[in-house]
Amino acid sequence: MVVAASVVVAVGSATGMISALDDGRGSDEARPPEVTRSPSLETLPLVPSPSPSATRPPSPTPSPTPKKKASPRPSPTKTERKQQPAVVSARLYRHPDSQVLDWVRDNAGDPRHAVIESRIAAQPAAVWFADFTPDTITARVRAVTSGGSALGRVPVVVPYAVPDRDCGGPSQGGAPDLDAYDAWIDKFAAGLGSGDVIVVLEPDSIAQSECLSARERADRFASLARAGRAFKAANPKARVYYDAGHSGWHDPGKQAQWLRQAGAASTASSDGIFSNVSNFHTTTDEIAYDRQVLDALGGPASLGAVIDTSRNGAGAPADGEWCDPVGRKLGRAPTLSTGEGRIDAYLWVKLPGESDGCKGKPGTFTASYAYDLAR
């Protein structure tokens, strides 16, 4: 992105907002229209706790196209800074197995507990499937979608196993080849059930595809288009969104061209686009950018966008730092009612508190980082 969409621990571990697999524990690291605003949370007691400093120095201001840095942005407005999460969506599903919930259960006496529990753990979030495990993927996806259906709520799932994922960066991994990936996708689709579900399909798979040759890119895009069709065929209620990067990365026209090649303009495979996954750009900037991408994409007017608002309450850092940058804040609460035309949802796709690799091990929940975001 000009920040990686997600940093995963390793192939074989699911990570992101909510993990479907991780199992290490510890006190600080647990298992791996017009803009509407959420009302502010009632002030909670804030108990200072030192945050470990980043293991990498701040990056210089990024060039126009690099992946791993958040592009410089002006300071957010007072309105954007005040948009802290407050109201939990009654329609989105909060899966009971997550790194932050593990930490909350295991650390009731920690002075940061009340803040992390009320401002992060209480929010519904996405479930990532970041490991290539064909034998178990159907059952694991089904466990999430059936849990949401039982409560009449909408789960958000993230397939994240495309070959050459992250172009060999910190989140490298995925299926060994596209044939294996296509078969994995079919098994993923078999777990989607028959209820409402949102699929955030392969963060970075389109925006971060310049590392591929033209032929490799075309083959990847064909597999992504196929994936959307497989999800729609398995569950007509599934809403599938494709990778649009974020407002600080590619030109909307260029991004739309790639999205079109990947099937995002066709209702046979797509309901639209997603942006800002694991990034920090303001919701206002993302709304404007997503609408430009959708306009350039073409396709039916029903196509919309979802935005990751989990860590964008203070906007992107001016110095371009992408790895657990200091001074970031939680963004708007997850909701399916944005009050914005063509913006279908604000989602928490990246779990606040899961490290990019500087304040903790990549993909693991770090309480000090979560607390800094939440307070």
Side-chain angles (χ1 to χ4, degrees), residues 171-185:
S171 298
Q172 62 184 305
D177 55 52
L178 286 174
D179 286 342
Y181 177 71
D182 291 346
W184 184 84
I185 284 291

Side-chain angles (χ1 to χ4, degrees), residues 83-354:
Q83 285 160 351
Q84 296 296 314
V87 179
V88 175
S89 170
R91 293 194 59 206
L92 287 166
Y93 177 55
R94 187 187 72 160
H95 188 50
D97 180 15
S98 75
Q99 298 191 65
V100 65
L101 288 171
D102 285 343
W103 185 90
V104 166
R105 285 189 287 262
D106 294 345
N107 295 277
D110 191 292
R112 301 164 294 189
H113 184 275
V115 171
I116 292 174
E117 180 180 38
S118 63
R119 297 187 177 183
I120 296 178
Q123 298 291 348
V127 183
W128 290 65
F129 298 86
D131 57 331
F132 181 70
T133 52
D135 292 342
T136 62
I137 189 65
T138 300
R140 289 167 42 229
V141 174
R142 184 179 293 125
V144 175
T145 57
S146 62
S149 293
L151 296 175
R153 296 180 181 177
V154 183
V156 180
V157 295
V158 185
Y160 190 58
V162 74
D164 299 313
R165 183 177 69 198
D166 200 28
C167 292
S171 298
Q172 62 184 305
D177 55 52
L178 286 174
D179 286 342
Y181 177 71
D182 291 346
W184 184 84
I185 284 291
D186 289 343
K187 293 183 177 183
F188 192 107
L192 289 177
S194 58
D196 292 327
V197 59
I198 292 172
V199 182
V200 175
L201 178 59
E202 296 290 348
D204 287 347
S205 60
I206 298 174
Q208 192 194 16
S209 63
E210 285 185 312
C211 64
L212 304 175
S213 69
R215 180 61 186 176
E216 289 169 336
R217 190 180 306 121
D219 289 345
R220 173 185 284 189
F221 290 172
S223 276
L224 293 175
R226 181 191 180 281
R229 293 193 300 271
F231 296 152
K232 292 286 193 178
N235 179 358
K237 289 186 177 181
R239 297 186 62 81
V240 183
Y241 294 89
Y242 282 72
D243 171 38
H246 60 67
S247 59
W249 201 348
H250 296 303
D251 173 81
K254 177 180 181 178
Q255 189 65 38
Q257 181 181 11
W258 281 350
L259 283 158
R260 196 177 305 112
Q261 293 171 25
S266 170
T267 56
S269 54
S270 171
D271 292 278
I273 62 175
F274 64 83
S275 71
N276 210 43
V277 169
S278 294
N279 219 292
F280 308 93
H281 294 274
T282 65
T283 305
T284 300
D285 285 349
E286 291 305 298
I287 290 171
Y289 168 74
D290 288 345
R291 286 174 175 163
Q292 289 177 322
V293 173
L294 288 168
D295 286 345
L297 178 63
S302 61
L303 297 179
V306 299
I307 299 169
D308 185 353
T309 60
S310 59
R311 304 188 298 179
N312 73 345
D319 64 1
E321 180 56 65
W322 68 270
C323 186
D324 302 331
V326 299
R328 301 312 95 201
K329 299 179 183 297
L330 302 178
R332 301 182 189 188
T335 181
L336 298 176
S337 301
T338 69
E340 287 284 347
R342 305 205 81 178
I343 308 300
D344 296 343
Y346 302 139
L347 303 175
W348 280 16
V349 184
K350 171 75 172 181
L351 179 66
E354 283 194 359

